[in-house]
């Protein structure tokens, strides 16, 4: 019985950071990563490209920041339960609290090790 691939949306205005996160995620079996360079593009892809199992987002981005993206995602019925992992340079407790209050599932502060990203995602998606 084959399982559908895990579809992850990786939203960050830094191409290097997107690549780093996608590299970490692709260590998991059967992961498809879709990239977006800001919240506007991320929201568009989320609403037009079908089911997603995971969203990884930065906070500080042009056009629409990650906090607004989280808010929009949590307002849509289709993606209300999708785990959202914030990966950001914003390490202050107030930033973490605001993201979690808006509906983020986990909050990681850059620089973040690939192992931490993997462990967080495995726990959220209940992977072995």
């Amino acid at each position: 019985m084959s399982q559908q691939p895990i579809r992850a949306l990786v939203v960050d205005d830094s191409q290097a950071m997107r690549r780093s996160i996608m590299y970490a995620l692709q260590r998991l079996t059967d992961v498809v990563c879709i990239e977006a360079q800001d919240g506007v593009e991320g929201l568009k892809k989320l609403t037009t490209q079908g089911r997603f199992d995971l969203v990884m987002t930065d906070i500080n981005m042009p056009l629409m920041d990650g906090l607004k993206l989280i808010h929009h995602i949590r307002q849509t019925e289709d993606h209300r339960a999708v785990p959202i992992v914030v990966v950001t340079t914003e390490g202050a407790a107030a930033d973490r609290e605001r993201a979690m209050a808006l509906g983020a599932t986990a909050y990681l502060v850059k620089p973040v090790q690939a192992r931490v990203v993997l462990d967080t995602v495995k726990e959220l998606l209940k992977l072995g």
Side-chain angles (χ1 to χ4, degrees):
M1 175 166 143
S2 76
Q3 180 178 327
Q4 288 188 319
I6 294 166
R7 289 178 39 90
L9 179 62
V10 180
V11 187
D12 198 305
D13 57 325
S14 162
Q15 183 178 20
M17 196 63 214
R18 288 194 312 268
R19 295 272 181 243
S20 174
I21 291 169
M22 291 188 313
Y23 178 75
L25 291 176
Q26 288 168 343
R27 293 183 190 178
L28 298 169
T29 308
D30 216 10
V31 173
V32 174
C33 292
I34 311 295
E35 294 179 71
Q37 60 189 358
D38 60 51
V40 170
E41 184 181 2
L43 192 59
K44 182 177 180 187
K45 289 186 175 186
L46 201 67
T47 56
T48 62
Q49 295 191 12
R51 149 194 91 74
F52 281 90
D53 302 296
L54 176 69
V55 175
M56 308 282 295
T57 186
D58 188 12
I59 288 181
N60 297 315
M61 298 179 288
L63 300 183
M64 181 192 295
D65 68 30
L67 295 175
K68 286 188 182 96
L69 176 61
I70 293 166
H71 173 76
H72 285 297
I73 292 170
R74 291 302 182 228
Q75 300 306 307
T76 62
E77 192 65 41
D78 290 349
H79 298 98
R80 192 165 286 152
V82 172
I84 302 172
V85 179
V86 174
V87 183
T88 183
T89 55
E90 303 300 326
D95 294 315
R96 175 186 301 266
E97 289 164 12
R98 187 161 169 232
M100 299 305 276
L102 285 169
T105 316
Y107 194 95
L108 305 174
V109 179
K110 296 175 189 174
V112 63
Q113 301 280 328
R115 170 65 37 215
V116 174
V117 171
L118 280 177
D119 288 348
T120 301
V121 169
K122 282 179 176 177
E123 183 178 325
L124 290 174
L125 298 180
K126 296 172 179 43
L127 303 173

